[in-house]
Amino acid sequence: MTTDNKRPLTLRDVSEATGVSEMTVSRVLRNRGDVSEKTRQKVLSAAKELGYVPNKIAGALASNRVNLVAVIIPSLSNMVFPEVLTGINSVLENTDLQPVVGVTDYQPEKEEKVLYEMLSWRPSGVIIAGLEHTEAARAMLNAAGIPVVEVMDTDGKPVDAMVGISHRRAGREMARAILKAGYRHIGFMGTKMPLDHRARKRFEGFTEALAKEGVEIEDRAFYSGGSALAKGREMTQEMLERSPELDFLYYSNDMIGAGGMLYLMDQKIDIPGQIGLAGFNGVELLEGLPRQLATMDACRLEIGRKAAEIIAAQLDNPDQEIEKHVTLTPTITYGDTLKRR
């Protein structure tokens, strides 16, 4: 079986290799029609040996869509999003749908461009992180005519469906746990927030719950870029040199929180007696550290699964009733850095 490798393979190549009609080859490769098992295996073996891949674009011209789901996320380096992708893939791998990923780097204009390019391929659905988009991006999502699921956040109004957690509630619950443990002199460290809307909402919920008890954040620091672990160490050292009276440090994510914890351990500071610590996201990678950082699970795997289930269900039966606003409930893990009282 040899073909000219300068042109794409066609059904005719598989037909000629097997002595089976092109129509029968098409039935086998699309898993349609009544074909004997012997013929089916003959066709599949030849197609595999040749390296034949069906031309999905030709089929898409008739249906006006391809079996792709556009998944648009802010970052691949942030360990949060690969777990969401794992959840999405665990559902879609049992369907004809295939996820295709675009990355925005937390930039609204780049999100707009990525969305434009991905929608131009006429995907079957869109899963996109966050509820905040440019007017143009929102218009494209509204006009796409396909299922759209916004993920990670439910503090807002979705275009179509949304799956995530309330970040404001997550911030409030962590603040209450910290206050209940008796801490009152609190510092905050996190990423720069204008474009990280979910971190901003957690911070708003956190400060709101503190204010209700007459407590204010006494020091704060923000960073962008670089190693989160190194930034956590650096910012923690600088903050405690500025504000040595602090008895609790709340970090917007686990990675900078882990950096802060390692710095305090190096300094032989009593955790959580002298200073308590907490992060956010429940990153499994940090479970191997000498101490477990207090954190809150962001339900990432389940968010991915639920989003993919909504897409698959809507495509399978557009008329069926589907829960489109799914708010999951994260739980606090106290670890070794937050006292329980």
Side-chain angles (χ1 to χ4, degrees):
M1 297 181 188
T2 60
T3 62
D4 179 0
N5 60 12
K6 295 185 183 297
R7 65 172 178 80
L9 293 170
T10 66
L11 285 175
R12 177 175 294 181
D13 293 309
V14 182
S15 172
E16 291 176 351
T18 57
V20 175
S21 71
E22 288 184 41
M23 184 175 293
T24 300
V25 171
S26 177
R27 286 200 202 102
V28 171
L29 296 178
R30 291 186 296 117
N31 199 25
R32 300 283 192 274
D34 185 17
V35 181
S36 72
E37 185 60 25
K38 181 178 179 181
T39 299
R40 184 180 302 280
Q41 291 303 320
K42 185 178 182 181
V43 169
L44 292 175
S45 295
K48 183 176 181 179
E49 186 174 340
L50 286 169
Y52 174 76
V53 177
N55 182 354
K56 292 292 184 71
I57 293 177
L61 292 175
S63 64
N64 201 34
R65 65 179 175 86
V66 294
N67 287 339
L68 300 176
V69 175
V71 182
I72 302 174
I73 57 176
S75 170
L76 282 173
S77 60
N78 186 329
M79 285 182 288
V80 168
F81 297 105
E83 197 166 348
V84 176
L85 295 176
T86 298
I88 292 170
N89 189 64
S90 70
V91 172
L92 295 187
E93 68 181 357
N94 298 316
T95 72
D96 292 331
L97 300 169
Q98 192 70 230
V100 178
V101 179
V103 180
T104 69
D105 297 319
Y106 290 95
Q107 299 176 24
E109 296 78 13
K110 187 171 181 180
E111 179 185 87
E112 192 177 300
K113 181 180 178 182
V114 169
L115 180 61
Y116 178 89
E117 293 296 334
M118 295 188 110
L119 287 178
S120 72
W121 287 95
R122 297 299 186 266
S124 294
V126 174
I127 297 173
I128 186 167
L131 296 168
E132 288 77 17
H133 316 286
T134 65
E135 289 185 14
R138 184 167 286 274
M140 284 188 281
L141 291 170
N142 273 310
I146 55 177
V148 173
V149 185
E150 290 159 283
V151 296
M152 310 302 290
D153 189 5
T154 58
D155 292 316
K157 185 178 180 181
V159 168
D160 180 16
M162 64 180 176
V163 180
I165 67 170
S166 167
H167 286 268
R168 287 195 176 94
R169 179 181 174 185
R172 289 195 297 269
E173 290 190 0
M174 184 58 81
R176 292 181 188 126
I178 292 168
L179 293 174
K180 186 177 180 180
Y183 300 104
R184 288 296 181 273
H185 302 286
I186 300 167
F188 175 83
M189 282 166 267
T191 56
K192 291 185 177 178
M193 296 182 188
L195 298 179
D196 191 342
H197 299 287
R198 292 172 292 283
R200 171 181 56 79
K201 291 173 184 178
R202 285 197 304 278
F203 183 70
E204 290 170 353
F206 186 73
T207 55
E208 173 190 303
L210 293 181
K212 284 187 177 180
E213 299 299 322
V215 176
E216 293 185 1
I217 291 178
E218 297 181 14
D219 200 347
R220 63 190 71 186
F222 303 94
Y223 81 101
S224 60
S227 165
L229 276 173
K231 288 288 186 180
R233 295 183 72 110
E234 177 186 320
M235 288 194 300
T236 300
Q237 179 178 359
E238 291 173 352
M239 182 170 287
L240 291 179
E241 287 173 354
R242 280 195 311 269
S243 307
E245 72 283 356
L246 296 178
D247 62 9
F248 200 92
L249 302 176
Y250 179 46
Y251 301 85
S252 69
N253 64 65
D254 286 347
M255 294 305 292
I256 55 173
M261 182 175 69
L262 292 173
Y263 169 75
L264 295 178
M265 291 174 66
D266 285 347
Q267 300 301 307
K268 312 298 183 188
I269 293 174
D270 177 15
I271 308 170
Q274 184 178 343
I275 298 180
L277 307 170
F280 181 82
N281 274 327
V283 176
E284 290 184 11
L285 178 67
L286 302 181
E287 291 179 5
L289 291 176
R291 296 194 182 188
Q292 187 178 2
L293 179 70
T295 187
M296 184 175 277
D297 175 24
C299 307
R300 299 179 298 279
L301 198 64
E302 189 63 16
I303 285 172
R305 287 188 186 126
K306 291 285 187 183
E309 286 170 0
I310 290 173
I311 296 284
Q314 283 193 267
L315 293 172
D316 184 57
N317 182 1
D319 297 323
Q320 69 176 305
E321 288 292 325
I322 301 169
E323 185 182 6
K324 288 191 171 185
H325 295 183
V326 181
T327 299
L328 302 171
T329 304
T331 55
I332 294 176
T333 299
Y334 286 79
D336 304 313
T337 66
L338 174 56
K339 294 179 290 190
R340 299 190 71 163
R341 290 183 182 174

